Amino acid sequence: MGLKFSEISEGQELPVLKKNCTSQQLVQWAAGSGDFYQIHYDKDFALGTGLNNIIVHGALKNAFLGQLVHDWVGASGRIKKYGCSYRGMDEPNNDIICKGIVRRKYEENGEKLVDIECWTEKADGTKTTPGSATVKLFN
Amino acid sequence: MADEDSLITDELRATIGKRSEPTTSEVDKLQIRMFARSVGHVDPIYFDEAEAKKAGYRSIPCPPGYLGTPVYDPRYSDPTFGGRRGGGGPTAGPQPRRPLKRILNGGTDIEYFDDICAGDVLESVGYVSDIQERKGGIGDMLITTSKTEYKRVSDGKVVAIMTGTGIRY
């Protein structure tokens, strides 16, 4: 049990986290995040702005990547930093597959650190949200 | 870059580093559970305080991406986004030399300096840290990097810095 620094290797893949947002989840996110912009849950409004459909909040995809990394680290460490770029839109009822790879493990200022490359991709493999994270391990 | 052709006027450049009025955000259990539920988190530390304490937290911690909710007050909060109404944003203040119509959220990065848990009250101050311009496939682009510092009121510690990238074109 628990993730150990010594057992992590560069190139290792994080367990994949698969998401597929219903419109209900986007409404829940609006309530959870406080962002009630209508392009995310009101199709008529979204079409009126020139979009083809309602779209998944970028910040929700950011939170998905946070969950990907958190679920891997659990109580064995902490996320020191993480983030992503919003390169493409995702629509509800489509797969958003969250993936990560360990790119570097190192010690710095007495901390055991791991750099991760992470991203979300569509079912066809198109990456819409490339990101990265640094986590510290306790052991 | 300070030529007649640059999108970035002297007035626009002068906004770099100007700090906003502080915003107070509360971190509480109800809202953390709503946030975690909406993401689809399954780790019980985001729902059950006893589990959070077992994992070494003071109380239920913020899930990644959650930095408290700005205290809502209809006198000055934005009804759609919840933050301070007219409190800056890309369309406030000095504008680029040529008008740009569209705005994209380019990305979000968060750096954490401590656990943030239910019960914490955060005060955040934002500022523009950099403005760049680029000619891309979508024409003239103005790329604004802004930083928001989150300070815990109880001990004055900066617990997180969020960096956001805004693209106007």
Side-chain angles (χ1 to χ4, degrees), chain A:
Chain A
M1 285 301 286
L3 193 63
K4 286 196 174 65
F5 187 69
S6 61
E7 292 166 4
I8 295 168
S9 53
E10 292 175 0
Q12 180 180 341
E13 291 177 16
L14 275 60
V16 171
L17 178 69
K18 202 167 150 185
K19 297 288 185 178
N20 189 310
C21 299
T22 57
S23 56
Q24 180 192 56
Q25 185 170 14
L26 300 187
V27 171
Q28 289 175 335
W29 171 262
S33 69
D35 175 357
F36 287 94
Y37 192 29
Q38 297 92 321
I39 60 166
H40 304 296
Y41 56 85
D42 180 337
K43 194 165 182 177
D44 289 340
F45 185 97
L47 295 178
T49 68
L51 290 166
N52 297 316
N53 195 355
I54 57 172
I55 58 167
V56 177
H57 303 70
L60 177 55
K61 293 187 280 180
N62 178 264
F64 287 159
L65 291 176
Q67 183 185 355
L68 171 83
V69 177
H70 171 79
D71 286 352
W72 183 63
V73 179
S76 306
R78 293 283 191 270
I79 296 174
K80 273 179 78 78
K81 61 179 175 185
Y82 94 103
C84 62
S85 300
Y86 306 121
R87 296 279 170 76
M89 294 179 199
D90 284 279
E91 296 181 7
N93 307 309
N94 283 280
D95 285 346
I96 298 176
I97 304 154
C98 310
K99 294 182 174 177
I101 296 178
V102 172
R103 286 300 180 204
R104 192 178 160 222
K105 63 179 264 190
Y106 54 106
E107 297 196 40
E108 200 175 84
N109 303 321
E111 290 187 324
K112 296 178 172 70
L113 303 177
V114 176
D115 288 347
I116 294 157
E117 178 189 357
C118 53
W119 67 90
T120 72
E121 61 183 45
K122 294 175 188 270
D124 67 4
T126 311
K127 293 183 186 182
T128 61
T129 323
S132 63
T134 300
V135 300
K136 76 172 172 200
L137 276 295
F138 296 138
N139 289 295

Side-chain angles (χ1 to χ4, degrees), chain B residues 7-16 90 92-97 128 131 142 144 168:
Chain B
L7 279 174
I8 307 167
T9 63
D10 291 343
E11 292 77 13
L12 187 55
R13 193 172 298 283
T15 61
I16 295 173
Q95 294 298 303
R97 195 180 310 276
V128 171
I131 304 177
L142 189 74
T144 305
R168 300 181 63 188

Side-chain angles (χ1 to χ4, degrees), chain B residues 88-147:
Chain B
T91 53
Q95 294 298 303
R97 195 180 310 276
R98 292 182 293 285
L100 300 171
K101 286 203 185 93
R102 298 180 187 81
I103 302 173
L104 283 175
N105 184 349
T108 310
D109 284 272
I110 303 174
E111 189 168 6
Y112 294 99
F113 303 100
D114 199 2
D115 293 340
I116 309 170
C117 297
D120 288 351
V121 177
L122 308 178
E123 200 176 79
S124 62
V125 170
Y127 61 94
V128 171
S129 62
D130 192 30
I131 304 177
Q132 297 285 334
E133 62 189 309
R134 203 180 297 160
K135 276 204 198 300
I138 50 178
D140 273 345
M141 296 192 332
L142 189 74
I143 300 152
T144 305
T145 308
S146 23
K147 292 194 183 277

